[in-house]
Amino acid sequence: MEAETGYGSISRVAEGYNDKEIPTSVIRVPLTADYRHDLDAMRNAITSKTSMVVITNPNNPTGTLLSYEELEQFVNAVPKHVIVVIDEAYIHFVRDPNYKRAIPLAIANDNVIVLRTFSKVYGLPAMRLGYSVSSTAIQEKILFYMADSIPGVLTQIAGMEAVKDLAHVRRSQQAVWDFRDQCYPVFDRMGLEYIKGEGNFFQVKVGSNRTEIYRELGKRRVQVSTRGGDRMAEWLRVSAGTARETEVFLNELEDILSKSI
Ligand SMILES: Cc1ncc(COP(=O)(O)O)c(C=O)c1O
C-alpha cells in the first residue's frame, strides 16, 4: 500500500512480481485535500492480506511532512503482520530543528523499517548507497534478497566519510532552504499556489497548460519536472538549484506566464 501520489518505486517492484507469477496488488490511497498522507484512510484500507505500507516522509513529489507523533499513532494502530516502511530520503531538508525523525519507531517496533539514502543531502547518487534501520528479522530477509548487491568497499568508505562531513550537510541544507526562501515570495507576488514542501524540491501550480509551460521552460534551458500523475496534472515539480539558477527559473517562468502561452 502506498499514497497516491507517492514516490512509487517500491510499489512498482511489488507489481513486477506479477510477471514472476506471484500475484501482488498495490492499494493506492489518495492524499488528503492538502496533499498529505491520509493515515486514517490508509489504516482503514489495511486487510489481513496487506503485507507492507510504504510512507515517504517528506513525501515525493508533494514534499509534505508527517510528524513523529502522527507516524507513531499510525504504527501503533497497524496490525503487527504489516511492515511499515518509512522512506526518509529527504529528511535532512526538514527545516524545523526540533523535528523528530522516525528511527526510534524502527528501534521500538519489529515491523517498522526506516530507509535512508546517500543520494540526496550527501550528494552521492552514483554510489548507489543507502542504509536501513529495522529489527533483525527484517534485516535478515533483506540480506537474503540482496546477497549479490552488497555495496563495494570503496562505496562503503565514501559513505563513512560522507556522514562525517557535517559542513557539507549544512551547506546542502542551507542551499535548499535558501532556494525555498527565494521562490516562495515570488510565487506569492505572482499569485501562484504552491506546496511548502520539506524536500529539496516543491510543487507549484501553473495551470491547465502545464505541459506547454514545461516545454517552453525546457526550450529556455530550464529543466523542471512533471511528476505526480493526474492529481498533480497542473503542477510543476521544481528541484533546488543555485541562487543564480533559481533566479533564471523564476524570471523565465514569470515571462512565460505573462505571455500566457
Ligand atoms: C523518496 C525516495 N526514496 C528513495 C530514492 C532513491 O534514492 P537512491 O538513489 O538511493 O535509489 C529517491 C530518489 O529520488 C526518492 O525520491
Side-chain angles (χ1 to χ4, degrees):
M1 180 186 302
E2 193 177 10
E4 172 84 65
T5 307
Y7 178 52
S9 83
I10 295 176
S11 299
R12 283 189 292 274
V13 170
E15 281 169 330
Y17 280 108
N18 289 305
D19 299 338
K20 297 175 188 159
E21 301 194 359
I22 303 171
T24 311
S25 57
V26 174
I27 300 171
R28 293 190 166 84
V29 179
L31 296 172
T32 59
D34 53 354
Y35 305 101
R36 305 180 80 237
H37 281 82
D38 191 339
L39 292 181
D40 288 340
M42 291 178 93
R43 166 69 194 92
N44 291 334
I46 290 174
T47 70
S48 58
K49 288 186 179 166
T50 309
S51 55
M52 188 181 282
V53 176
V54 179
I55 295 175
T56 299
N57 195 49
N59 192 29
N60 182 7
T62 58
T64 45
L65 183 72
L66 295 164
S67 69
Y68 180 85
E69 290 70 27
E70 286 173 298
L71 285 170
E72 185 177 42
Q73 252 181 30
F74 179 75
V75 165
N76 289 341
V78 161
K80 295 294 172 202
H81 73 270
V82 177
I83 293 179
V84 180
V85 179
I86 304 174
D87 182 346
E88 291 195 330
Y90 298 100
I91 202 73
H92 292 90
F93 302 114
V94 176
R95 201 166 191 168
D96 177 1
N98 296 318
Y99 182 78
K100 199 171 154 195
R101 284 111 218 259
I103 286 177
L105 289 177
I107 293 170
N109 296 277
D110 281 354
N111 61 328
V112 175
I113 175 165
V114 172
L115 307 182
R116 295 286 185 91
T117 175
F118 283 83
S119 296
K120 309 300 175 189
V121 83
Y122 299 111
L124 295 175
M127 286 289 170
R128 312 311 306 136
L129 185 65
Y131 65 93
S132 62
V133 180
S134 75
S135 59
T136 325
I138 295 180
Q139 295 296 345
E140 277 171 3
K141 279 192 196 168
I142 293 174
L143 280 175
F144 177 79
Y145 285 103
M146 64 174 289
D148 57 354
S149 52
I150 303 287
V153 172
L154 291 181
T155 301
Q156 294 185 36
I157 291 172
M160 288 190 296
E161 291 305 311
V163 290
K164 288 189 228 154
D165 190 354
L166 283 182
H168 172 82
V169 171
R170 296 282 170 256
R171 266 198 315 276
S172 301
Q173 290 172 320
Q174 194 59 52
V176 167
W177 299 334
D178 290 348
F179 158 74
R180 293 178 198 161
D181 290 346
Q182 197 177 343
C183 291
Y184 294 165
V186 177
F187 294 156
D188 287 336
R189 177 171 58 70
M190 290 166 69
L192 291 177
E193 189 183 338
Y194 56 96
I195 303 172
K196 282 191 174 164
E198 291 279 6
N200 59 349
F201 53 82
F202 55 70
Q203 295 267 3
V204 56
K205 190 173 185 181
V206 292
S208 54
N209 52 353
R210 188 267 310 256
T211 307
E212 288 76 24
I213 294 167
Y214 165 78
R215 288 205 186 113
E216 185 59 29
L217 281 168
K219 280 188 207 155
R220 300 178 185 206
R221 300 165 61 98
V222 178
Q223 188 64 52
V224 292
S225 111
T226 54
R227 293 200 43 185
D230 292 349
R231 182 78 186 269
M232 309 308 288
E234 299 194 357
W235 299 69
L236 291 175
R237 179 184 178 282
V238 186
S239 293
T242 62
R244 175 70 191 129
E245 287 163 344
T246 305
E247 188 188 336
V248 171
F249 156 69
L250 290 169
N251 288 342
E252 297 299 345
L253 180 68
E254 191 158 14
D255 184 58
I256 293 168
L257 290 178
S258 72
K259 291 175 183 146
S260 70
I261 56 167

